[in-house]
Amino acid sequence: MSEMLTAVAIIFIIAAPFLLIANRYELPAPPLLILAGIAAGFFIDEVVALELAQFGIALLVFTFGVGIQLSSIEPVLADSENVALGQILVVGLLGVGFGVAFGLPPAEAIYLGVAVALSSTIVATSLLQVEQQANLVQGRLGQSIQFVQDLFAVGFILIVGAGVLALDPIVLQIGYGAVFLIAALFINRYVFDPMGRLAGGSDELMIVGVISLLVIFVGGAAAVGVPIVVGAFAAGLAVRHDPSQYLGLFNGLESIKNFFIAIFFVTVGALVVIPFVQLPVGESIEKLTLVAGLVVLTMVIKPAVTTAILIYRGYEARTATLAGFSTDQISEFSLIIAIEALLIGLLTQEVFDAIVLAAAITMITSAITHQYNEQLYRLLANRGIVSGRHDKIDELSDVPEDISDHVVILGYGRKGRRMVETCEQLEQPYVVVENNPALRDAVRVGCEAYVFGDAMEPYTWEKANAADARVIVSVTSSPAVSRRLLDTAYDATLILRARDEASALELLESGANYVAVPDLLAGEQLIQHIKGLVDGELTVEELRADGIAALESEPVATGD
């Protein structure tokens, strides 16, 4: 125990300056944390690093389970299942074949196939946070693909945890895993809300209760001989994902997640064995050859397979490509599987080291590809390497063919709903453009004409007949979307939204007719309320009643 505490202390002492650099220069943290881990690896024993990695990954998997909101990924889950299974079959078999061609026994080559087939939930979630919070299709696709893969990984971990390739222990392990998952879903559905009511609104009690659930599930897994990562994943699924009701709880868990994310990336770096430094020349060349094959399969083949399947399923090229980029890393579950196999003697140290080094490389490069994913997509699209289909847009949209002189409303959040209501009151034709899978049913029910598509793709606007529109209103503050609308040079009056005054002025200078700044508008409304109170035109009771009425009139929704 003291050795692990010492290792954690070393990790944070070495990681601190790397985090300062990342914060100072606005760089992605994961690559620098992995580099910090490589430096820390010279001071941490490998056995301690392996144990720390097991606990760290288990706790991270718990936080991922907590963050899963099935309702938000359900609309794209069927497509995600196809992509996940396609990745596992195509990329996994290529990985196994590569391992056998490299001279590895088939039993070891299987672990290479698993390593390249699975994508990192932790890396992708941290990189796709903006897309997921904005409820963009590519973000939800990435999250749901990794969720399906994680379920597969849990099953594979249970098989490896059996220790032998015999039917009885494998069935027993899978049975235990199923019991944990069923128990988690039961708690999520029937126990969690009563537990919240018993807590009486206390965030501290809720956090203690959730941590207690984690301890019970992990302890139960350890007691029956199931890998603790399975118990941690089930514990995460047991927590009801409802940030609006349990805001303090999720804020607290977010801090815990950030803590273990740092430990995870540093631990990955600490497990890296550096060729030519810690290995002789011959072994280094052999290892680098194996690592290069894993990296190519992970960074090139896997995103290509993902993109191809999604385009085949009818998604736009941009959505499919960006979702594909989110899979270009080796999963933390692959590392857990490799660690379990190493500890029970099913995997040699050389192959394990190659998987770890490939994981570290792909986790670093994934941060880079995500940062420049839009430029990479445009490069591929301009060269004709990727071209999408419009089946999904055509299937999910409903726009009259002869619509013209209408209002195009980009976004069906709170402000989008108000604009729809206003257009209907004025009997003004309109088309809503939305990209959030969770709002599909609401749009179908609440809108007369709508398009489900990526605002960055020309066909979305063609489907909305934006060329004949009278007004185009964007309620999203995405700079990329605003620039896209400005570049199209439609004849319609263009109303955009910006996060701040400086951005608003830039958009106005670029050709926008009007730019709304939410904070500025809210400030002006607040001033009017205060003036009304001071002048006696508005009472406190009226102000409160108006505020409650405005809040109650808004349905619960994501976005603006």
Side-chain angles (χ1 to χ4, degrees):
M1 186 64 180
S2 61
E3 291 180 346
M4 187 173 292
L5 291 176
T6 302
V8 171
I10 292 172
I11 283 173
F12 281 102
I13 290 172
I14 295 178
F18 287 86
L19 284 174
L20 287 173
I21 293 172
N23 185 62
R24 173 67 178 80
Y25 296 102
E26 298 182 352
L27 300 173
L32 291 175
L33 287 172
I34 291 173
L35 293 176
I38 293 174
F42 291 97
F43 306 97
I44 300 175
D45 183 73
E46 184 182 12
V47 175
V48 176
L50 286 172
E51 188 175 0
L52 191 60
Q54 285 179 297
F55 281 102
I57 294 174
L59 292 170
L60 276 179
V61 167
F62 162 72
T63 61
F64 173 70
V66 169
I68 292 175
Q69 187 176 5
L70 291 177
S71 61
S72 67
I73 64 175
E74 186 177 358
V76 296
L77 195 55
D79 294 324
S80 301
E81 291 173 355
N82 288 307
V83 174
L85 293 175
Q87 279 188 7
I88 292 168
L89 288 175
V90 178
V91 184
L93 288 175
L94 288 174
V96 173
F98 170 70
V100 172
F102 193 78
L104 298 178
E108 277 196 279
I110 289 174
Y111 293 98
L112 294 187
V114 171
V116 297
L118 302 180
S119 303
S120 174
T121 298
I122 305 305
V123 175
T125 299
S126 60
L127 294 177
L128 287 172
Q129 196 167 29
V130 173
E131 286 87 343
Q132 290 168 5
Q133 289 175 349
N135 295 298
L136 299 181
V137 171
Q138 60 264 27
R140 293 305 174 193
L141 279 170
Q143 186 182 33
S144 56
I145 289 169
Q146 279 123 24
F147 174 65
V148 175
Q149 288 186 347
D150 287 352
L151 292 177
F152 170 83
V154 167
F156 198 89
I157 288 172
L158 290 169
I159 294 174
V160 175
V164 292
L165 290 176
L167 184 62
D168 288 346
I170 289 176
V171 170
L172 184 63
Q173 286 275 306
I174 293 176
Y176 280 135
V179 169
F180 279 110
L181 293 177
I182 292 171
L185 295 176
F186 178 83
I187 292 172
N188 182 292
R189 188 177 181 88
Y190 299 108
V191 178
F192 194 78
D193 283 340
M195 187 173 78
R197 289 193 291 270
L198 287 173
S202 171
D203 296 333
E204 291 78 10
L205 285 177
M206 284 301 298
I207 291 175
V208 170
V210 169
I211 297 301
S212 298
L213 278 177
L214 173 62
V215 172
I216 291 170
F217 274 88
V218 170
V224 298
V226 171
I228 62 171
V229 69
V230 177
F233 182 67
L237 295 179
V239 178
R240 175 70 62 85
H241 186 90
D242 190 356
S244 62
Q245 185 173 352
Y246 304 109
L247 182 60
L249 167 65
F250 281 90
N251 286 338
L253 293 178
E254 185 70 19
S255 300
I256 295 173
K257 182 181 79 171
N258 292 335
F259 174 80
F260 284 107
I261 281 178
I263 289 182
F264 165 70
F265 285 120
V266 176
T267 304
V268 170
L271 290 172
V272 169
V273 177
I274 305 174
F276 302 111
V277 176
Q278 296 169 288
L279 292 174
V281 174
E283 289 184 26
S284 296
I285 294 174
E286 184 177 353
K287 175 183 285 188
L288 287 176
T289 305
L290 184 57
V291 169
L294 295 177
V295 169
V296 170
L297 286 170
T298 303
M299 288 186 59
V300 180
I301 305 301
K302 184 161 57 175
V305 170
T306 303
T307 302
I309 295 175
L310 287 173
I311 289 177
Y312 177 77
R313 297 286 296 181
Y315 283 92
E316 291 290 297
R318 180 175 178 273
T319 297
T321 305
L322 297 187
F325 284 145
S326 72
T327 67
D328 65 349
Q329 69 289 123
I330 288 177
S331 170
E332 61 281 345
F333 272 109
S334 298
L335 295 178
I336 278 288
I337 291 169
I339 291 172
E340 292 284 342
L342 177 69
L343 294 177
I344 61 179
L346 298 178
L347 193 65
T348 61
Q349 184 69 48
E350 291 75 16
V351 176
F352 173 79
D353 290 343
I355 292 175
V356 170
L357 181 55
I361 292 172
T362 56
M363 287 176 183
I364 290 173
T365 56
S366 184
I368 298 171
T369 56
H370 177 77
Q371 188 170 1
Y372 298 102
N373 58 6
E374 191 68 45
Q375 294 90 323
L376 290 171
Y377 163 68
R378 292 299 169 192
L379 178 66
L380 295 173
N382 291 338
R383 296 191 175 185
I385 298 175
V386 292
S387 58
R389 296 164 57 181
H390 310 309
D391 304 37
K392 281 291 179 184
I393 294 181
D394 292 335
E395 174 189 343
L396 299 172
S397 303
D398 185 7
V399 180
E401 293 183 3
D402 59 347
I403 193 169
S404 62
D405 200 32
H406 56 294
V407 177
V408 179
I409 303 169
L410 176 57
Y412 194 62
R414 288 183 291 271
K415 295 179 179 61
R417 282 184 177 85
R418 289 179 179 174
M419 292 179 187
V420 167
E421 292 170 0
T422 302
C423 287
E424 291 179 347
Q425 291 170 3
L426 298 173
E427 298 184 352
Q428 167 65 48
Y430 67 88
V431 176
V432 169
V433 176
E434 183 53 73
N435 194 34
N436 180 0
L439 292 180
R440 284 179 185 171
D441 291 337
V443 172
R444 288 193 189 102
V445 172
C447 301
E448 298 173 356
Y450 50 85
V451 175
F452 281 106
D454 187 348
M456 298 294 291
E457 287 291 340
Y459 186 72
T460 299
W461 299 100
E462 180 183 336
K463 188 72 176 178
N465 198 20
D468 295 330
R470 180 179 182 181
V471 180
I472 298 176
V473 184
S474 172
V475 298
T476 175
S477 54
S478 167
V481 171
S482 296
R483 286 194 297 269
R484 171 72 180 82
L485 289 172
L486 288 167
D487 291 341
T488 53
Y490 292 123
D491 293 333
T493 300
L494 185 58
I495 301 175
L496 302 177
R497 182 181 175 190
R499 295 188 179 94
D500 51 56
E501 290 87 341
S503 300
L505 288 172
E506 290 181 9
L507 293 174
L508 287 168
E509 292 173 358
S510 299
N513 299 102
Y514 180 80
V515 179
V517 181
D519 290 343
L520 184 60
L521 295 176
E524 291 176 353
Q525 186 179 30
L526 179 60
I527 290 171
Q528 293 299 321
H529 286 325
I530 294 173
K531 287 178 65 178
L533 290 172
V534 172
D535 296 338
E537 298 175 358
L538 185 68
T539 66
V540 174
E541 290 75 16
E542 289 173 338
L543 177 62
R544 176 178 172 80
D546 289 345
I548 293 174
L551 291 171
E552 289 180 343
S553 68
E554 294 294 343
V556 176
T558 54
D560 298 304

